[in-house]
Structures are given as C-alpha cells and as structure tokens.
Amino acid sequence: MSRNPLIVFEGVSKSYTLHYHFTGGIKNFLFHLPSYIRKARSSSYCALKDVSFEIRRGETFGIIGKNGAGKSTILGIIAGVLKPTRGKVAVGGRISPLLELGAGFSFELTGRENILLNGIILGLTRKKVLDRMDEIIEFSGLGEFVDQPIRTYSSGMLSKLAFSVVTSLDPEILLIDEILAVGDLNFQQKCLEKMMSFKKSGVTIVFVSHSMKQVEQICDRAMWLENHVVRAIGDPGTITGEYSSYWKDR
Amino acid sequence: MTNKKKVKSRNLGYFKDLAIILTQKEMKVRYKNSFLGYLWSVLNPLAFAFVFFVAFQVVMKIHMKDYVLFLIAGLFPWQNFTNSINASPMVFLMNSTLIKKVNFPRHILALTLVLHDSVHFVLSIPVILFFMFVYHRVPSLSLVWGVPALLSVQILMTYGIALFLASLNLFFRDLERLTTILTTALFYFTPVIYSETMVPDKYRVLLKLNPFAMLMISWRNLFLNGSINPVYAGAALGYGILFFCLGYFFYSKLAWKFAEVL
Ligand SMILES: Nc1ncnc2c1ncn2[C@@H]1O[C@H](COP(=O)(O)OP(=O)(O)O)[C@@H](O)[C@H]1O
Ligand SMILES: [Mg+2]
C-alpha cells in the first residue's frame, strides 16, 4: 500500500433533483410549464453533505451506514456515473463497474451473453473475454443456468454473475455495493477469498456492506456515514464497534 | 490524468468491440433472431409498397410508370430512417442498468441503434436491385459511391435526431408515441409515395425546408436514374450536420444526469 491517495473527495455534496413531476409526460409539462419549473427548482434532495475522505492506492476501504445514508451515491460518484453538485473529486485508475444488487445488464440475454457484454463494456477485448469464458463460468458456479436468460435468475445468481465477470478483469479500483449479502455462504466465502487475492495484488477496493464481520475481516479502514455526512473514519474494528453500539443504544 | 491517456489509446479497438456487441444485443433484444430482423426489414416496405400500389394506382389511378418500383426505391430508405427514429426514445431507457453502472460514452448506444438499422438497409439493397431487373432497368454504377455517400448523410441526420429523442425521453417518458405520430405525419409530407413534381408549384419551395424530402428524393433518384442532384444532396448534408450538432449538443448537456433519472 503506498501513501499517495488514489481517490480523493474534498467537500463533496450531492443533491438529486426530484423528477417525479416530469414523469407525467411532455403534454402535462407543456400545459403546466411555469409551475413545473418552480417545482423543479425547489425540490431537490441532498444525499451527501460536505463529504471528505481519501483512499490510498491498494487500500481496502469499507463504507457502512444505514439505508439511504448515501453509500451508493459515493460509489456512483467514484464510478463516474454521477456528478457531484459541489466539491472536488479525483479518481486515478481503471475502475470496475459498480457491483450492486440486481446486477446484470441485459435481462433478455443469457448469462453467457451478459458475461461477454459486461467484459467488453469494462474494457476487455472480445477475444480476452472469450478466452476467459470457461474460467468465469466456473467461478460463478451457475452451471447450466449460464445459458438461460438472466431475467429468470434469482438475486443471488445475479450477483454471482456480476462478481464472476469482475474476477476476470484486472481493475485498479473495485467498487462493491452490498452484493455479497445475497449470495449463499459458500459463494460469499469464495468472493471474500477472491477479494483477498485482489487485495494482495494491489487492487484498491471500496466495499459497502452491512456485514460488520466482513468489513472487519477485509478492510484496512472504514468510514461511517450517518444522515448524509461522515460520522467517523478509522480502524475498521473501532468504527464497526461504535456503529453497532450506537444502534444498540437506540 | 494518466487514466485519460490510457483510455484514449485503447479507444478505437474498444469502440469497435463495444459497437459490435451492443449491435448484436440490439438485434437479440428487438428481434430475438437477426435473420428474422432482416426479413422484417425487407417484408415491411414491400408490404407497404403493395398497399400504396393498390390504393393509388389500382384504385385512384394515378399516372406513373413503374409505380411499384418508384415506391420501393423510396420506402426502403424511408423505413431505415423511421425504424431508428421510432426506436430511439427507448434506447437509453432500455440500457438503464448499463448507464447506472459504468461510465462509458452513452451516445454509442444511439449510434449502434442507427448502425443496426443501416446494416439491414444495406442488406436489403439487393431486393431493390431485383425489382429493377423485373422492371428492365439497369442499376447504375454510381450506386457504388452514391449509396455510401447518402447513407453517411442519413446516418448523421438520424444519429443526431436519435440522440435528441433518447436524451429527452429520460425526462419525459412519453415521447415514444409522440414520435410515431410525428414520423407518420412526416411520411405524408415527404415525397415518398408521390414525386416532387406532383407537388403544386406554389408549395414546392416548402419541400426545400423538409430535410427528409431532400434526402428521400436523392435516394430515389439514385436508384431510378443513377444520379444525385447536388443541390438536394448538399441540402440534406447541411441538414444532417445541423441535426447532428444540435442532437449532440443537447445530449452532452444532459448526459451527466442520465444515471440519476433512470
Ligand atoms: N436517482 C435518485 N434520485 C433521487 N434521490 C435519490 C436517487 N438516488 C438516491 N437517492 C436518495 O439519496 C439518498 C441516498 O441514497 P443512496 O446513496 O442510495 O443510499 P445508501 O446506498 O446508503 O442506502 C436516499 O435517501 C435516496 O432516496
Ligand atoms: Mg445503496
């Protein structure tokens, strides 16, 4: 692990504009233009407030916090799919896709076709994915289901698929959002082992999880998000301990 | 950032692989089977050619030699255009999981849609040529450069409009039906089933304002006479560039918000 930070958040805030009023369609929009514009201006929701932290190259960084705290928003900003409203973000390195629940890209395609699609989108060449296909399928443990359309998959199977594709990449940054929660124990174990081996080879991992045990087990540092702000950053054992006792006391 | 450089250097191969895989996905999702998709892209304009032939020549008795051939030479390129346009509002919505997870150039999704339909169009050109033989016409050699030239203009124009509709639909969600209505209306305002010379003199100048008229007239003349009117084709190119710039500008202003509204 080197000293120089790979991911830097400096005073980052993120507000979502609430667009539900637009979904009435263009006709409604045109007929009620002034009131829509007023509403659009006023209704935004602040998901992150003045968040600052640094993640060093090769570090495994855990993020904990209750639902809606803003964990996924942070990962989305790191992945570059979301844009912060305020603040500075610097990310240097090849990023894996956001691994999250219900992952899997095109529901009409089979598992195998999704592996190819994902691999290419993530920057592998077609040939490379095809070369590694057997290995990926082997890791996923999906067996014959790999040739079924993924709309028939359970959420556990979907995260197996998503995680397996990533194992065949060589990312510099791995973003993991709660996906280990749904796989069976056997697969969870396999994933943790794989993450350990990624870690050994110097991959930077940002790991969002509700399992305090997993966070303690593999993270070098952890961050606790509470109500859209950073509550604490530090040693994973300490942070998870504080977090658990905080919730016990309530 | 070193990362930027790395991304640049692998760009070309990456774009190619990405475009191919997304096009294949598009075919799978839209038609389940790429051959059926092709068959559909041939049968659809042929069926319409038959319908218009019956309505206008058999029933209404308009005077035009080889009307069926005339229809076919216009309906194939028109259908290439409307297929992409009508599907374009859904193109980002259908790929929402992708857009939410990976930061890749999203406009490529609209491009693959347009390319996918264009591939079908190119593959259906032999059908047009077959009908030319049936009507004892000899296809001109100028097709060899004319088809790529007009197709480029058409892709540019369609891509621009598709980017615009696909981006806007993320915020309004009901553009799909509106788009179909508009393309249907446009169809009748564009000389596809009638010729530009049948338009009354005082309205003919309006044709120049219709970007699609310029393009469709050029296509038909290319197939039937082997010639391209440089004024018409030039106007189509001008409109194409304009639409592309507008569509891309609009897209680039909104793209950062896509993952939020999906
Ligand atoms: N696309 C969105 N539009 C509007 N609000 C959103 C959007 N995504 C998340 N939010 C809101 O932002 C807050 C933080 O969400 P998120 O980062 O997903 O939390 P977490 O992953 O910690 O559960 C939540 O209250 C959620 O409702
Ligand atoms: Mg979340």
Side-chain angles (χ1 to χ4, degrees), chain B residues 5-257:
Chain B
K5 263 186 226 139
K6 253 185 248 161
V7 170
K8 275 252 164 60
S9 68
R10 60 156 208 211
N11 247 355
L12 226 68
Y14 175 63
F15 270 80
K16 196 191 93 222
D17 275 354
L18 192 58
I20 291 174
I21 190 83
L22 287 171
T23 307
Q24 284 173 345
K25 177 180 91 78
E26 180 72 27
M27 289 198 197
K28 273 257 170 56
V29 174
R30 268 166 83 182
Y31 302 111
K32 308 290 176 224
N33 171 323
S34 49
F35 181 70
L36 281 183
Y38 169 65
L39 207 62
W40 183 245
S41 74
V42 170
L43 284 182
N44 200 37
L46 284 182
F48 274 104
F50 177 72
V51 170
F52 289 120
F53 166 71
V54 170
F56 293 115
Q57 194 141 50
V58 177
V59 179
M60 291 163 70
K61 307 244 177 336
I62 62 162
H63 293 287
M64 193 187 292
K65 205 169 150 274
D66 300 342
Y67 186 53
V68 169
L69 186 59
F70 176 92
L71 284 170
I72 285 173
L75 283 168
F76 274 79
W78 177 263
Q79 138 136 341
N80 175 28
F81 167 68
T82 45
N83 271 353
S84 299
I85 295 298
N86 287 342
S88 68
M90 297 308 287
V91 72
F92 291 147
L93 274 182
M94 299 248 283
N95 290 288
S96 62
T97 42
L98 264 179
I99 290 176
K100 284 201 283 195
K101 287 181 175 68
V102 199
N103 184 12
F104 71 107
R106 287 85 207 279
H107 59 85
I108 218 174
L109 291 167
L111 181 62
T112 53
L113 171 79
V114 175
L115 290 180
H116 167 248
D117 288 327
S118 297
V119 168
H120 278 169
F121 171 66
V122 170
L123 292 177
S124 68
I125 288 179
V127 178
I128 307 178
L129 299 185
F130 169 79
F131 275 89
M132 291 181 67
F133 283 114
V134 171
Y135 284 87
H136 310 292
R137 305 276 187 103
V138 183
S140 153
L141 260 182
S142 51
L143 284 175
V144 175
W145 59 268
V147 169
L150 288 184
L151 192 61
S152 311
V153 173
Q154 178 147 351
I155 288 174
L156 197 66
M157 193 183 278
T158 316
Y159 185 24
I161 300 172
L163 274 177
F164 173 78
L165 293 173
S167 307
L168 197 64
N169 195 42
L170 291 186
F171 297 87
F172 294 109
R173 306 287 167 103
D174 63 347
L175 279 187
E176 212 190 352
R177 254 174 282 166
L178 203 64
T179 305
T180 340
I181 296 173
L182 285 180
T183 49
T184 309
L186 262 177
F187 175 71
Y188 290 100
F189 288 125
T190 304
V192 177
I193 50 174
Y194 52 87
S195 83
E196 60 277 19
T197 52
M198 293 159 84
V199 177
D201 278 345
K202 59 177 171 178
Y203 296 121
R204 204 166 302 168
V205 58
L206 289 178
L207 283 184
K208 294 239 160 47
L209 298 177
N210 178 348
F212 316 107
M214 298 292 100
L215 188 58
M216 292 305 145
I217 294 170
S218 299
W219 273 120
R220 191 171 49 222
N221 285 338
L222 176 65
F223 284 121
L224 298 186
N225 315 324
S227 66
I228 289 183
N229 179 333
V231 176
Y232 284 9
L237 177 62
Y239 280 122
I241 294 172
L242 181 74
F243 280 151
F244 175 74
C245 291
L246 287 178
Y248 194 84
F249 176 77
F250 195 78
Y251 154 84
S252 61
K253 284 283 163 212
L254 290 177
W256 67 273
K257 246 180 176 319

Side-chain angles (χ1 to χ4, degrees), chain A residues 14-19 45-48 63-76 82 100 177-178 208 210 225 228, chain B residues 100 257-262:
Chain A
K14 170 74 192 168
S15 308
Y16 289 109
T17 322
L18 298 179
H19 282 279
Y45 181 83
C46 194
L48 288 180
I63 303 180
I64 57 176
K66 63 176 199 278
N67 289 329
K71 306 180 296 295
S72 303
T73 304
I74 289 183
L75 291 192
L82 296 174
E100 57 188 10
D177 195 349
E178 295 183 30
V208 171
H210 288 296
L225 272 188
H228 322 303
Chain B
K100 284 201 283 195
K257 246 180 176 319
F258 286 177
E260 280 178 37
V261 293
L262 277 167

Side-chain angles (χ1 to χ4, degrees), chain A residues 130-148:
Chain A
L130 290 176
D131 285 348
R132 296 180 187 176
M133 185 62 87
D134 290 335
E135 201 184 309
I136 299 174
I137 294 174
E138 167 76 37
F139 186 92
S140 74
L142 286 169
E144 68 216 61
F145 289 106
V146 81
D147 289 312
Q148 299 289 324

